[in-house]
Amino acid sequence: MDNNNQGSAKKAPYLPKSSPAQGAHIGHVIAVRSGKGGVGKSFVSSYLAVLLSRKGFKVGIRDCDITGPSVPFAFNRKGPVYGEGAFFYPLKTKGGIEVMSSNLLLDKPEDPIVWRGARISTLIEQFYAQVVWNVDFLILDLAPGTGDISLTVFQKIPVDASVVVATPQSLVNLIVEKSAKMADRLNVPLLSLVENRAYVKCPHCGERIDIYGKSDAEVAKKHNIPVFDEIPFDKEIASYMDRGDIEDFKGDYLSSTVDAIINSLK
Protein backbone atom coordinates (compact mmCIF):
# COMPACT_ATOMS: atom_id res chain seq x y z
CA MET A 1 0.00 0.00 0.00
CA ASP A 2 1.26 3.46 -0.87
CA ASN A 3 1.12 5.38 2.41
CA ASN A 4 1.53 8.65 0.54
CA ASN A 5 -1.94 8.25 -0.90
CA GLN A 6 -3.74 7.62 2.38
CA GLY A 7 -6.24 10.38 3.19
CA SER A 8 -5.73 12.06 -0.20
CA ALA A 9 -8.66 13.80 -1.86
CA LYS A 10 -8.68 11.37 -4.78
CA LYS A 11 -11.69 11.83 -7.02
CA ALA A 12 -14.10 8.94 -7.32
CA PRO A 13 -14.28 7.36 -10.80
CA TYR A 14 -16.90 8.85 -13.07
CA LEU A 15 -19.88 6.67 -13.91
CA PRO A 16 -22.44 7.53 -16.60
CA LYS A 17 -25.48 9.19 -15.06
CA SER A 18 -28.92 7.64 -15.27
CA SER A 19 -31.52 9.36 -17.43
CA PRO A 20 -34.99 10.27 -16.15
CA ALA A 21 -37.94 8.10 -17.12
CA GLN A 22 -39.65 8.72 -20.43
CA GLY A 23 -42.05 11.63 -20.00
CA ALA A 24 -40.53 12.73 -16.70
CA HIS A 25 -39.31 16.23 -15.85
CA ILE A 26 -36.74 16.75 -13.09
CA GLY A 27 -35.38 20.27 -12.72
CA HIS A 28 -32.82 20.16 -9.90
CA VAL A 29 -31.79 17.38 -7.53
CA ILE A 30 -30.87 18.16 -3.90
CA ALA A 31 -29.48 15.44 -1.63
CA VAL A 32 -29.97 15.69 2.15
CA ARG A 33 -27.49 13.60 4.09
CA SER A 34 -25.91 13.07 7.50
CA GLY A 35 -22.81 11.49 8.93
CA LYS A 36 -24.85 9.43 11.41
CA GLY A 37 -28.44 8.45 12.10
CA GLY A 38 -30.91 10.05 14.49
CA VAL A 39 -30.09 13.68 13.70
CA GLY A 40 -33.44 14.66 12.15
CA LYS A 41 -32.44 14.34 8.49
CA SER A 42 -35.88 13.15 7.38
CA PHE A 43 -37.53 16.18 8.98
CA VAL A 44 -35.10 18.48 7.18
CA SER A 45 -35.76 16.69 3.86
CA SER A 46 -39.52 16.76 4.33
CA TYR A 47 -39.70 20.36 5.50
CA LEU A 48 -37.44 21.58 2.69
CA ALA A 49 -39.90 19.97 0.28
CA VAL A 50 -42.80 21.69 2.04
CA LEU A 51 -41.13 25.12 2.04
CA LEU A 52 -40.18 24.90 -1.63
CA SER A 53 -43.74 23.85 -2.44
CA ARG A 54 -45.10 26.85 -0.52
CA LYS A 55 -42.99 29.09 -2.75
CA GLY A 56 -44.84 27.77 -5.78
CA PHE A 57 -42.39 25.15 -7.03
CA LYS A 58 -43.35 21.65 -8.09
CA VAL A 59 -41.52 19.42 -5.64
CA GLY A 60 -40.84 15.72 -5.21
CA ILE A 61 -39.19 13.87 -2.33
CA ARG A 62 -37.59 10.49 -2.71
CA ASP A 63 -36.89 8.33 0.32
CA CYS A 64 -33.47 6.75 -0.29
CA ASP A 65 -33.34 5.00 3.08
CA ILE A 66 -34.62 1.72 1.69
CA THR A 67 -34.60 -0.33 4.90
CA GLY A 68 -35.56 2.50 7.29
CA PRO A 69 -37.97 4.77 5.39
CA SER A 70 -39.53 7.79 7.11
CA VAL A 71 -40.90 10.04 4.37
CA PRO A 72 -44.23 8.25 3.72
CA PHE A 73 -45.09 8.52 7.41
CA ALA A 74 -44.27 12.24 7.53
CA PHE A 75 -46.76 12.85 4.71
CA ASN A 76 -49.25 10.13 5.74
CA ARG A 77 -49.00 8.23 2.46
CA LYS A 78 -49.46 4.48 1.99
CA GLY A 79 -48.90 2.28 -1.05
CA PRO A 80 -48.85 0.50 -3.21
CA VAL A 81 -47.94 2.95 -5.95
CA TYR A 82 -49.37 2.70 -9.45
CA GLY A 83 -47.17 1.23 -12.15
CA GLU A 84 -47.48 1.02 -15.92
CA GLY A 85 -45.09 -1.26 -17.77
CA ALA A 86 -41.58 -0.61 -16.45
CA PHE A 87 -42.51 2.76 -14.94
CA PHE A 88 -44.05 3.93 -11.67
CA TYR A 89 -45.92 7.09 -10.76
CA PRO A 90 -45.18 8.77 -7.42
CA LEU A 91 -47.98 9.32 -4.95
CA LYS A 92 -49.01 12.91 -4.28
CA THR A 93 -49.50 14.45 -0.86
CA LYS A 94 -52.49 16.62 -0.01
CA GLY A 95 -50.40 19.65 -0.99
CA GLY A 96 -49.29 18.15 -4.30
CA ILE A 97 -45.77 17.06 -3.34
CA GLU A 98 -44.71 13.92 -5.22
CA VAL A 99 -43.45 11.09 -2.98
CA MET A 100 -41.68 7.81 -3.68
CA SER A 101 -40.36 5.33 -1.12
CA SER A 102 -39.62 1.64 -0.79
CA ASN A 103 -42.47 1.48 1.73
CA LEU A 104 -44.91 2.51 -0.99
CA LEU A 105 -44.08 -0.71 -2.84
CA LEU A 106 -45.43 -2.80 0.04
CA ASP A 107 -48.98 -3.94 0.66
CA LYS A 108 -48.25 -3.87 4.39
CA PRO A 109 -46.12 -0.87 5.46
CA GLU A 110 -44.99 -2.65 8.63
CA ASP A 111 -43.25 -5.40 6.63
CA PRO A 112 -39.42 -5.14 6.64
CA ILE A 113 -37.26 -4.95 3.54
CA VAL A 114 -34.37 -7.36 4.10
CA TRP A 115 -32.04 -6.78 1.15
CA ARG A 116 -28.32 -6.76 0.51
CA GLY A 117 -26.50 -3.67 -0.74
CA ALA A 118 -26.47 -4.52 -4.46
CA ARG A 119 -30.24 -4.85 -4.64
CA ILE A 120 -30.72 -1.65 -2.64
CA SER A 121 -28.42 0.23 -5.02
CA THR A 122 -30.41 -1.04 -8.00
CA LEU A 123 -33.67 0.21 -6.49
CA ILE A 124 -32.08 3.60 -5.72
CA GLU A 125 -31.24 4.01 -9.40
CA GLN A 126 -34.67 2.77 -10.50
CA PHE A 127 -36.36 5.37 -8.30
CA TYR A 128 -34.76 7.99 -10.52
CA ALA A 129 -34.85 6.31 -13.93
CA GLN A 130 -38.19 4.49 -13.75
CA VAL A 131 -40.38 6.93 -11.82
CA VAL A 132 -42.28 9.52 -13.85
CA TRP A 133 -41.48 12.64 -11.85
CA ASN A 134 -42.77 16.08 -12.85
CA VAL A 135 -40.90 18.42 -10.51
CA ASP A 136 -38.79 21.55 -10.38
CA PHE A 137 -36.93 20.20 -7.34
CA LEU A 138 -36.39 16.59 -6.33
CA ILE A 139 -35.28 16.19 -2.70
CA LEU A 140 -33.38 12.99 -1.88
CA ASP A 141 -33.55 11.84 1.75
CA LEU A 142 -30.42 9.70 1.95
CA ALA A 143 -29.58 6.98 4.44
CA PRO A 144 -26.93 8.12 6.96
CA GLY A 145 -23.24 7.59 6.38
CA THR A 146 -21.03 7.27 3.31
CA GLY A 147 -21.85 3.75 2.13
CA ASP A 148 -23.57 2.13 -0.83
CA ILE A 149 -26.62 4.39 -0.96
CA SER A 150 -24.68 7.66 -0.95
CA LEU A 151 -22.23 6.32 -3.53
CA THR A 152 -25.02 5.15 -5.83
CA VAL A 153 -26.85 8.46 -5.55
CA PHE A 154 -23.82 10.67 -6.17
CA GLN A 155 -22.30 8.54 -8.92
CA LYS A 156 -25.42 7.54 -10.85
CA ILE A 157 -27.82 10.45 -10.32
CA PRO A 158 -27.09 14.04 -11.46
CA VAL A 159 -27.19 15.70 -8.02
CA ASP A 160 -26.90 19.51 -8.17
CA ALA A 161 -26.08 20.14 -4.51
CA SER A 162 -26.31 18.60 -1.06
CA VAL A 163 -27.33 19.63 2.45
CA VAL A 164 -25.66 18.13 5.53
CA VAL A 165 -27.61 17.67 8.78
CA ALA A 166 -25.95 17.31 12.19
CA THR A 167 -26.72 17.86 15.87
CA PRO A 168 -24.55 19.62 18.46
CA GLN A 169 -23.31 16.26 19.72
CA SER A 170 -22.21 15.23 16.21
CA LEU A 171 -21.33 18.66 14.86
CA VAL A 172 -17.61 18.13 15.12
CA ASN A 173 -14.92 18.68 12.54
CA LEU A 174 -14.49 14.95 11.88
CA ILE A 175 -18.15 14.38 10.93
CA VAL A 176 -18.42 17.48 8.76
CA GLU A 177 -15.02 16.89 7.21
CA LYS A 178 -16.05 13.40 6.10
CA SER A 179 -19.11 14.89 4.38
CA ALA A 180 -17.07 17.69 2.81
CA LYS A 181 -14.42 15.28 1.48
CA MET A 182 -17.01 12.90 0.06
CA ALA A 183 -18.79 15.80 -1.66
CA ASP A 184 -15.49 16.97 -3.13
CA ARG A 185 -14.50 13.53 -4.37
CA LEU A 186 -17.88 13.09 -6.04
CA ASN A 187 -18.07 16.67 -7.38
CA VAL A 188 -21.26 17.57 -5.52
CA PRO A 189 -21.34 21.08 -3.98
CA LEU A 190 -22.19 21.32 -0.28
CA LEU A 191 -24.80 24.04 -0.05
CA SER A 192 -25.80 24.14 3.62
CA LEU A 193 -24.97 22.75 7.04
CA VAL A 194 -28.08 22.39 9.22
CA GLU A 195 -27.62 22.00 12.96
CA ASN A 196 -30.72 20.35 14.38
CA ARG A 197 -31.73 20.50 18.05
CA ALA A 198 -29.25 23.38 18.37
CA TYR A 199 -30.87 25.18 21.31
CA VAL A 200 -34.00 25.49 23.44
CA LYS A 201 -36.38 28.43 23.72
CA CYS A 202 -37.63 29.20 27.21
CA PRO A 203 -41.41 28.53 27.17
CA HIS A 204 -42.02 31.53 29.44
CA CYS A 205 -39.86 34.32 28.05
CA GLY A 206 -38.64 32.97 24.70
CA GLU A 207 -34.98 33.37 25.65
CA ARG A 208 -32.56 31.18 23.73
CA ILE A 209 -30.75 28.60 25.88
CA ASP A 210 -27.67 26.99 24.35
CA ILE A 211 -27.70 23.77 26.36
CA TYR A 212 -24.78 22.30 24.40
CA GLY A 213 -22.85 25.54 24.18
CA LYS A 214 -23.02 28.26 21.57
CA SER A 215 -23.31 27.07 17.98
CA ASP A 216 -20.18 27.44 15.90
CA ALA A 217 -20.95 28.67 12.38
CA GLU A 218 -17.21 28.67 11.72
CA VAL A 219 -17.43 24.90 11.19
CA ALA A 220 -19.37 25.54 7.98
CA LYS A 221 -16.97 28.26 6.85
CA LYS A 222 -13.96 26.05 7.50
CA HIS A 223 -15.29 23.50 5.05
CA ASN A 224 -16.48 26.07 2.48
CA ILE A 225 -20.17 25.43 3.15
CA PRO A 226 -21.87 28.77 2.38
CA VAL A 227 -24.96 28.49 4.61
CA PHE A 228 -25.33 27.56 8.30
CA ASP A 229 -28.90 26.99 9.50
CA GLU A 230 -30.20 26.10 12.97
CA ILE A 231 -33.29 24.31 14.25
CA PRO A 232 -34.09 24.37 17.98
CA PHE A 233 -35.60 21.65 20.11
CA ASP A 234 -39.27 21.86 19.15
CA LYS A 235 -41.71 19.23 20.39
CA GLU A 236 -44.13 20.21 17.62
CA ILE A 237 -41.76 18.80 15.01
CA ALA A 238 -42.08 15.25 16.35
CA SER A 239 -45.82 15.71 16.79
CA TYR A 240 -46.43 16.79 13.19
CA MET A 241 -44.06 14.14 11.79
CA ASP A 242 -45.70 11.36 13.81
CA ARG A 243 -49.20 12.41 12.72
CA GLY A 244 -48.18 12.64 9.07
CA ASP A 245 -49.05 16.35 9.01
CA ILE A 246 -45.66 17.84 8.13
CA GLU A 247 -47.32 19.99 5.45
CA ASP A 248 -49.27 21.79 8.20
CA PHE A 249 -46.18 22.59 10.28
CA LYS A 250 -45.41 26.33 10.45
CA GLY A 251 -42.00 26.50 12.13
CA ASP A 252 -39.81 29.40 11.03
CA TYR A 253 -36.83 27.21 10.18
CA LEU A 254 -34.61 26.44 7.16
CA SER A 255 -35.35 29.70 5.34
CA SER A 256 -31.64 30.34 4.66
CA THR A 257 -31.19 26.87 3.21
CA VAL A 258 -34.28 27.22 1.02
CA ASP A 259 -33.09 30.60 -0.28
CA ALA A 260 -29.65 29.14 -0.98
CA ILE A 261 -31.17 26.26 -2.94
CA ILE A 262 -33.26 28.59 -5.08
CA ASN A 263 -30.58 31.23 -5.63
CA SER A 264 -27.70 28.88 -6.37
CA LEU A 265 -29.54 26.96 -9.07
CA LYS A 266 -31.01 29.77 -11.10
Side-chain angles (χ1 to χ4, degrees):
M1 180 180 291
D2 185 355
N3 291 330
N4 292 329
N5 289 332
Q6 290 183 10
S8 65
K10 182 179 179 182
K11 299 290 184 180
Y14 174 80
L15 295 176
K17 304 295 186 184
S18 299
S19 298
Q22 182 178 356
H25 166 72
I26 301 173
H28 303 290
V29 181
I30 308 297
V32 180
R33 50 194 297 263
S34 64
K36 59 183 295 185
V39 300
K41 175 181 49 58
S42 291
F43 164 71
V44 171
S45 301
S46 300
Y47 202 47
L48 284 175
V50 170
L51 293 175
L52 287 166
S53 179
R54 288 176 186 169
K55 287 183 176 291
F57 295 103
K58 291 187 289 186
V59 184
I61 181 168
R62 200 185 86 182
D63 196 336
C64 297
D65 194 343
I66 302 302
T67 59
S70 301
V71 170
F73 306 102
F75 290 93
N76 194 25
R77 287 291 161 251
K78 297 180 180 179
V81 295
Y82 169 68
E84 186 175 15
F87 300 103
F88 291 92
Y89 293 87
L91 295 184
K92 287 192 176 183
T93 69
K94 60 185 179 183
I97 296 172
E98 298 184 4
V99 176
M100 178 57 75
S101 169
S102 60
N103 236 54
L104 299 179
L105 303 176
L106 304 176
D107 292 321
K108 297 179 180 180
E110 67 274 11
D111 285 348
I113 293 179
V114 186
W115 289 356
R116 293 191 182 274
R119 193 173 181 188
I120 290 174
S121 294
T122 298
L123 183 60
I124 290 293
E125 191 174 350
Q126 288 175 323
F127 273 177
Y128 180 81
Q130 293 179 233
V131 174
V132 186
W133 300 98
N134 181 22
V135 296
D136 302 311
F137 289 99
L138 179 60
I139 306 297
L140 308 182
D141 182 23
L142 271 61
T146 56
D148 285 347
I149 290 179
S150 292
L151 279 172
T152 299
V153 166
F154 288 135
Q155 290 190 310
K156 298 295 291 182
I157 296 171
V159 177
D160 292 284
S162 64
V163 173
V164 177
V165 184
T167 58
Q169 302 99 311
S170 67
L171 187 60
V172 294
N173 281 332
L174 180 62
I175 296 293
V176 179
E177 189 166 352
K178 285 178 182 290
S179 296
K181 284 186 175 180
M182 183 175 188
D184 179 61
R185 292 179 185 184
L186 297 171
N187 299 307
V188 178
L190 274 177
L191 194 61
S192 174
L193 173 60
V194 177
E195 183 180 354
N196 191 25
R197 300 192 282 273
Y199 59 92
V200 174
K201 282 187 176 181
C202 175
H204 302 292
C205 66
E207 178 186 359
R208 172 176 172 143
I209 304 171
D210 295 303
I211 58 176
Y212 295 109
K214 189 171 179 60
S215 296
D216 185 7
E218 294 300 317
V219 174
K221 293 180 181 179
K222 176 181 177 181
H223 298 289
N224 298 314
I225 305 173
V227 173
F228 180 76
D229 241 335
E230 295 177 294
I231 303 172
F233 275 92
D234 186 341
K235 65 180 182 180
E236 292 299 304
I237 290 175
S239 178
Y240 277 85
M241 289 284 285
D242 290 346
R243 295 201 309 265
D245 289 334
I246 190 59
E247 287 175 286
D248 296 329
F249 183 68
K250 301 295 184 182
D252 186 22
Y253 313 133
L254 297 176
S255 58
S256 296
T257 299
V258 169
D259 289 343
I261 290 172
I262 296 170
N263 294 330
S264 69
L265 302 175
K266 287 181 178 178

